[in-house]
Amino acid sequence: GVNYTRDELDARRARVAAWYGKLQARDAARNYTAFFSTVDSRRLYSHDKSSRFFWPPGSVLASSLLSGYANVQRLADLQLSLVAALNGEVLEMPALLTEEAHALFHDFRKAVRSLVDEVAVFQTGLFSPTARNAQDLLVLSGLYVAYGDLNDVWNAYAYALRHDDEAEVEALEKQIHKAWKALKDRQRAALVPDVAHRLREGMRPPCLL
C-alpha cells in the first residue's frame, strides 16, 4: 500500500469529507424516496453524465417496452462485448508502468467490475442458474479482484515515483513486472472472450423475467 505523510493524509481526508458533504446535500435535495415511490412505467430517465461503461454513446438504449431485468440484460450484453474487445488489447501490453498502459489496464478492470457489480445486485435475474454460468462469472470476479490487487501496487509505484523514492520505485517495478506477467498468463488461460460469449448466450429467457 501507499504510506502517506500526515499532511497528505489530512489533505485527502478533507477532500473526501467535502465530497461526501456535497453528496449528502444532493441526495437530500433530490428526495429519492419520493422519486422511487412514484415510478412512471411509461417514462425512461437518462443520466447526462453516464459512464461509458453503462449505456455508452451510440449504443442500444434502454426500452420502456421491456422489463427492468430485460433492460439490464441488454446492458450486460454490451458490457460483455466490451470485456471481450478490451481483453486482447490489455494482453498485448508488455509492461504496465506507463500512464497510457495503466489507463487501458484500468479500463478493462472497470469493464469487468461493471458486470460483476450488476450480478451482485440482480443475483440470478440476469443469467440462467447453470453451473457453467456460475463458473464463468467466478472467472470474471476473480480477474476483477486480481486487477484490483495489482492496481494497488501500481498506485504505490506512482506515489513513490512522484516522491523520488528510487529504492521503492525499483522494488515496485520488479513486483509489477512479475505480477503483470502472472496475471496475463492467468487471463490467457481463462479464455476471456469465450467466457464472455458463453455468458451472452447464457442469459435467462425473456419470458422468465
Side-chain angles (χ1 to χ4, degrees), residues 101-118:
H102 180 254
L104 182 55
F105 168 94
H106 202 43
D107 277 354
F108 181 81
R109 176 174 176 253
K110 288 185 287 186
V112 173
R113 182 184 65 188
S114 63
L115 179 74
V116 170
D117 286 350
E118 279 155 22

Side-chain angles (χ1 to χ4, degrees), residues 6-74:
R6 172 54 61 180
D7 288 344
E8 289 171 328
L9 187 59
D10 288 344
R12 282 164 171 76
R13 282 177 172 168
R15 287 201 293 271
V16 171
W19 170 83
Y20 185 62
K22 291 180 181 179
L23 181 65
Q24 286 183 308
R26 187 163 60 243
D27 285 351
R30 288 178 174 173
N31 195 355
Y32 283 124
T33 300
F35 174 78
F36 285 116
S37 66
T38 57
V39 173
D40 184 350
S41 62
R42 297 166 297 177
R43 180 180 177 186
L44 293 175
Y45 295 85
S46 61
H47 194 301
D48 58 355
K49 294 183 179 179
S50 179
S51 166
R52 56 197 169 90
F53 298 101
F54 296 88
W55 306 119
S59 70
V60 60
L61 298 177
S63 171
S64 61
L65 301 177
L66 300 175
S67 70
Y69 273 116
N71 272 310
V72 177
Q73 279 189 329
R74 298 179 86 184

Side-chain angles (χ1 to χ4, degrees), residues 55 60 66-83 111 114-116 118-119 122-134 136-137 140 194-209:
W55 306 119
V60 60
L66 300 175
S67 70
Y69 273 116
N71 272 310
V72 177
Q73 279 189 329
R74 298 179 86 184
L75 176 57
D77 185 77
L78 285 172
Q79 290 164 334
L80 285 165
S81 297
L82 180 59
V83 167
S114 63
L115 179 74
V116 170
E118 279 155 22
V119 173
F122 295 99
Q123 301 296 322
T124 58
L126 302 183
F127 300 95
S128 296
T130 65
R132 179 74 267 180
N133 280 347
D136 284 339
L137 289 170
L140 293 184
D194 291 347
V195 168
H197 175 75
R198 285 195 300 267
L199 285 172
R200 294 179 71 188
E201 295 293 317
M203 299 277 187
R204 287 181 70 94
C207 61
L208 299 180
L209 298 175

